[in-house]
Amino acid sequence: MRKSCIKVLKREGEPIRKALLEMDLLDNSARIISEDDHLYLPLTEELQESQLMNLPGEFELTENEFKEQKGQLKLEDLLDDIPHFEVVGDIALVEDDVPEPLKVADAIMKVKKNVKTVLAAMSPVEGEFRTRRFRTIAGETRTSTTHKEYGCRYYIDLERAYFTPRLATERSRILTQIQDGQTVVDMFAGVGPYSIMIAKKSPNIRVIAIDKNPNAVEFLRHNVKLNSATNVEAIEGDANIEAQKFASVADHVIMNLPHNANEFLDAAVKLCAPNAIIHYYDITHEDDLFESSLKLIEEAAERAGRTTELIEARIVRSYAPHQFNVCIEVKVI
Ligand code: SAM
């Protein structure tokens, strides 16, 4: 089978293989090719620029003809229908209404050897702190784990703070926009996946990370240490109030509180140094993906006597039927 792959010198192959594995980008159904001085690592999907930038060392993106990896157990071998699930650290999360939950959990644990616990979500993401409730289907009864993403590690208790691995690519895309020496305010930082990844890019980047959930901030502080980041100021508090202490400091303001970010736009504009960029996340209907949200940002800037320039508006992922998680990036002049 012909596949996209990464061609890398054998002696430089291991860090990149590990990075691809962590990002779920290494296709385990195909056998890695070893030829002369090079390895060819098969990919599960076409890599985006932001993903490529996060891979270590020198390599080439190419294609090759791969043989099937025999003996590799696949979910298709064990289940007729593969339900949607995601893996955070060593925990697999399935929906509560998954048919035959024990069979599904058993199959996931057989195929994904690193999974030690399978949880079913008993609630949607809910409340001010955007948490969920879970029940254990199989494995160890716990909701805490350590998740690896783009070379950073995050300790999380999934019932006490928000985290999703589905934004990994989005986070890495934001990372490419942050320059050395800049200041970033992450208004809804959670356990720190934006803040810490950005802080690790350079010690000369100042990151101010705010969250109202005391548990999230506890994990955030732990994760700052876990990743040896020296440039994150972790603040527990309401973003509207805390932002007042940092007027005009930010070159980038990250507003990852879809549904409610509009309530914080005046504070976000206040944070903005001249020409700062607001990265505004929202959940919108397909009939009005960007327009209404953009208007809210423009109106907030106007109230502060500032003007705006749209940098980019894009869909991050689908959220529900006809609804999308979008990101609107606006320069505040
Ligand atoms: N950015 C993080 C991430 O990507 O994992 C967390 C995003 S989560 C969707 C939104 C976060 O906003 C939650 O951690 C929640 O506790 C926090 N939050 C909600 N209201 C807040 C407020 N008024 N001020 C600061 N943080 C708030």
Side-chain angles (χ1 to χ4, degrees):
M1 49 187 162
R2 193 142 193 95
K3 290 196 139 292
S4 292
C5 62
I6 293 235
K7 180 180 176 186
V8 59
L9 276 171
K10 275 183 188 166
R11 62 170 184 273
E12 293 176 13
E14 191 47 20
I16 203 161
R17 191 194 66 84
K18 273 195 178 155
L20 289 170
L21 203 59
E22 272 177 19
M23 288 151 65
D24 240 353
L25 294 171
L26 187 67
D27 186 347
N28 284 323
S29 69
R31 205 185 305 165
I32 292 173
I33 296 170
S34 171
E35 210 172 74
D36 303 325
D37 285 346
H38 287 92
L39 293 176
Y40 294 81
L41 306 170
L43 299 171
T44 51
E45 59 185 70
E46 295 292 331
L47 298 195
Q48 296 174 13
E49 198 188 330
S50 55
Q51 290 171 311
L52 289 170
M53 287 180 70
N54 279 288
L55 292 174
E58 300 269 309
F59 58 86
E60 188 187 320
L61 195 58
T62 178
E63 284 191 351
N64 209 335
E65 204 63 45
F66 287 88
K67 289 196 178 123
E68 196 183 332
Q69 175 87 285
K70 293 227 171 65
Q72 183 78 28
L73 195 60
K74 297 198 238 28
L75 280 174
E76 294 88 317
D77 303 331
L78 301 171
L79 299 173
D80 296 331
D81 290 313
I82 300 169
H84 167 76
F85 73 96
E86 59 189 49
V87 178
V88 181
D90 61 359
I91 296 179
L93 306 175
V94 298
E95 293 305 319
D96 199 28
D97 58 359
V98 66
E100 301 186 90
L102 281 175
K103 187 176 171 190
V104 166
D106 187 53
I108 292 174
M109 289 176 88
K110 276 197 177 114
V111 172
K112 305 241 167 215
K113 297 282 184 219
N114 61 321
V115 170
K116 301 284 182 285
T117 297
V118 181
L119 302 178
M122 290 167 65
S123 74
V125 172
E126 62 187 6
E128 190 179 26
F129 298 156
R130 316 304 293 138
T131 49
R132 303 182 86 176
R133 282 169 289 120
F134 298 95
R135 69 184 168 88
T136 308
I137 301 181
E140 298 162 16
T141 302
R142 62 177 158 86
T143 50
S144 59
T145 187
T146 300
H147 183 77
K148 287 186 195 162
E149 185 178 290
Y150 289 110
C152 296
R153 285 182 297 157
Y154 305 107
Y155 177 78
I156 315 139
D157 186 328
L158 294 162
E159 276 195 333
R160 292 170 61 202
Y162 176 91
F163 183 82
T164 178
R166 284 194 238 169
L167 289 177
T169 307
E170 171 60 19
R171 293 192 260 270
S172 73
R173 214 196 61 81
I174 299 288
L175 182 72
T176 61
Q177 300 182 40
I178 316 287
Q179 311 294 325
D180 206 16
Q182 290 192 320
T183 296
V184 178
V185 180
D186 187 359
M187 288 179 83
F188 314 102
V191 305
Y194 281 88
S195 290
I196 290 170
M197 191 189 211
I198 291 167
K200 291 290 285 177
K201 184 172 184 175
S202 161
N204 300 322
I205 295 171
R206 179 186 182 196
V207 181
I208 298 161
I210 305 166
D211 204 284
K212 197 174 175 185
N213 176 358
N215 291 318
V217 178
E218 181 193 323
F219 302 139
L220 166 66
R221 292 194 172 123
H222 177 85
N223 291 332
V224 167
K225 285 198 193 118
L226 190 64
N227 291 283
S228 311
T230 52
N231 42 341
V232 179
E233 294 156 53
I235 298 169
E236 182 191 321
D238 185 305
N240 267 339
I241 296 167
E242 299 305 322
Q244 307 305 320
K245 302 172 188 162
F246 298 99
S248 308
V249 302
D251 299 296
H252 293 267
V253 178
I254 300 170
M255 300 186 75
N256 183 20
L257 184 62
H259 298 293
N260 299 90
N262 61 306
E263 296 162 23
F264 298 83
L265 274 168
D266 289 320
V269 170
K270 185 155 193 179
L271 284 165
C272 287
N275 299 319
I277 294 173
I278 293 182
H279 308 264
Y280 180 89
Y281 292 92
D282 209 345
I283 305 293
T284 57
H285 192 271
E286 61 187 3
D287 294 340
D288 180 13
L289 278 176
F290 307 119
E291 217 166 285
S292 297
S293 305
L294 181 58
K295 194 158 173 267
L296 291 173
I297 304 170
E298 288 166 349
E299 284 170 357
E302 229 171 83
R303 282 195 290 278
R306 313 275 294 261
T307 55
T308 55
E309 184 185 309
L310 176 63
I311 305 286
E312 197 188 358
R314 67 207 150 72
I315 293 174
V316 175
R317 57 177 173 152
S318 72
Y319 179 76
H322 311 291
Q323 293 209 307
F324 290 89
N325 184 182
V326 298
C327 181
I328 301 173
E329 291 173 333
V330 170
K331 188 185 275 187
V332 179
I333 298 157

